[in-house]
Amino acid sequence: MQYKEWLAATLALGGCALSTASLATNGHYVPGVEGLNGAITPPPGLYYRSYLVHYDIGSLRDGRGEAVPGRNGGEVTALANRFVWMTDTRLLGADYGMDAIVSIQDISLRFDGVGARDSKNGVGDLFLSPLILGWHGERWDAVFAAGQWLDTGDHAADRPASPGKGFDSTMLTLGGAWHFDDERRWTFSALSRYEIHGSQSEAGITPGDSLVVEWGLGHRLDNGLTLGLVGYDAWQLERDSGVAVPGDKAEQHAIGVEAGGFWPALGLGLNAAYYHEYDNRARPQGDLMRVTLTKAF
């Protein structure tokens, strides 16, 4: 696709292209919210987890990964509230659980290169998962989950910074972790999310399916602090379908560092991570910072 055609198609997409691309590749799930030990489910119990995410947009990238001319930047800050219940029930040899996520977002976009400026805050789309399965071995862990992003958030087709996406998505999760030693001090974890998107009826567009892979290599110190290298890679697997949609598929690639710890006596965990995106296509590119608080009840 030529640059002028890509520019016109991006403008034609309006709210779908810009708000969808602000944090997630082309769907709901935000890469980088899970890092070290992301594929390990907790023991049976009730958990609250909050994700404070700030995404600083430094540029807007075309389908070839080149920066779009002009001043293109923005900030997205989101607080995602997640509630997890891992039951005592066993299913297919795994611990069975469920979870729900609701987020509050503050979005400011200044994409002068495509003539789009907008700021908005509000509640994002609701996620419900009735199925989490977690398996545990001496040196390994695995997880499978299925859930649905519901079109419940604040969305307007003419507002690029809308917190809601304007469409539903089914999300399937598959991941695993390998512990290199008996004490589980060295761990490599990989977590994948596959999203199947519904139609955004206002714009007449159906985003293509997307895949996110998050990974982390961590080492737990004697004092309980875990340090590690983290990253994420995300691809739009299919082109969008509908009226006046671009042929380019979005991509995200990032690498970063994470540190965290868990205090069993308090039932409290705290993690912080920083990611630098280095090769994005057909979407913004920037740096992501995330702080995660976990409370076990």
Side-chain angles (χ1 to χ4, degrees):
M1 175 178 287
Q2 299 297 317
Y3 171 71
K4 289 184 178 180
E5 295 173 337
W6 180 86
L7 183 63
T10 303
L11 282 169
L13 276 170
C16 180
L18 296 180
S19 67
T20 297
S22 59
L23 274 167
T25 304
N26 70 313
H28 287 86
Y29 185 74
V30 177
V33 296
E34 301 289 356
L36 299 177
N37 301 323
I40 304 175
T41 60
L46 181 63
Y47 301 86
Y48 166 73
R49 200 168 204 191
S50 66
Y51 305 83
L52 179 61
V53 180
H54 179 77
Y55 185 50
D56 187 18
I57 300 170
S59 63
L60 184 61
R61 300 284 166 161
D62 64 17
R64 299 182 300 274
E66 298 176 0
V68 175
R71 298 182 61 185
N72 301 294
E75 299 86 29
V76 181
T77 302
L79 177 63
N81 301 281
R82 183 183 183 192
F83 302 90
V84 182
W85 180 31
M86 297 300 299
T87 72
D88 293 320
T89 302
R90 302 279 292 178
L91 182 61
L92 300 177
D95 294 336
Y96 166 72
M98 59 193 74
D99 72 336
I101 303 172
V102 61
S103 67
I104 302 171
Q105 304 176 31
D106 183 23
I107 303 171
S108 177
L109 305 177
R110 303 180 300 277
F111 295 151
D112 295 339
V114 293
R117 280 185 171 233
D118 192 24
S119 296
K120 195 168 176 55
N121 55 63
V123 179
D125 293 334
L126 175 67
F127 176 74
L128 296 175
S129 173
L131 179 65
I132 300 175
L133 298 177
W135 293 269
H136 308 285
E138 291 185 6
R139 288 283 192 94
W140 61 271
D141 294 271
V143 62
F144 173 81
Q148 186 78 9
W149 292 96
L150 304 175
D151 180 16
T152 58
D154 184 7
H155 173 79
D158 60 346
R159 298 295 304 272
S162 294
K165 305 302 182 187
F167 57 88
D168 296 334
S169 295
T170 299
M171 187 169 76
L172 304 176
T173 296
L174 182 64
W178 176 257
H179 310 283
F180 295 92
D181 58 296
D182 292 336
E183 296 181 346
R184 297 191 170 205
R185 289 184 177 272
W186 284 96
T187 299
F188 178 78
S189 174
L191 186 69
S192 65
R193 313 277 198 181
Y194 185 88
E195 283 191 84
I196 304 167
H197 308 301
S199 175
Q200 189 187 64
S201 56
E202 283 186 79
I205 296 167
T206 300
D209 293 356
S210 54
L211 173 68
V212 173
V213 177
E214 299 172 278
W215 56 268
L217 175 63
H219 175 58
R220 191 180 75 253
L221 305 177
D222 292 338
N223 60 8
L225 182 67
T226 299
L227 305 175
L229 188 68
V230 292
Y232 58 79
D233 300 275
W235 301 268
Q236 180 180 348
L237 301 178
E238 300 176 331
R239 289 181 172 85
D240 298 337
S241 61
V243 180
V245 295
D248 297 316
K249 294 185 289 186
E251 287 188 30
Q252 279 178 280
H253 303 280
I255 192 168
V257 292
E258 181 172 339
F262 186 78
W263 296 267
L266 301 175
L268 193 67
L270 186 65
N271 291 69
Y274 167 79
Y275 295 84
H276 173 69
E277 294 182 334
Y278 58 86
D279 185 21
N280 288 7
R281 298 170 186 266
R283 55 157 293 109
Q285 179 169 300
D287 297 318
L288 185 143
M289 290 152 281
R290 182 249 306 160
V291 176
T292 306
L293 174 69
T294 303
K295 174 60 180 175
F297 296 96

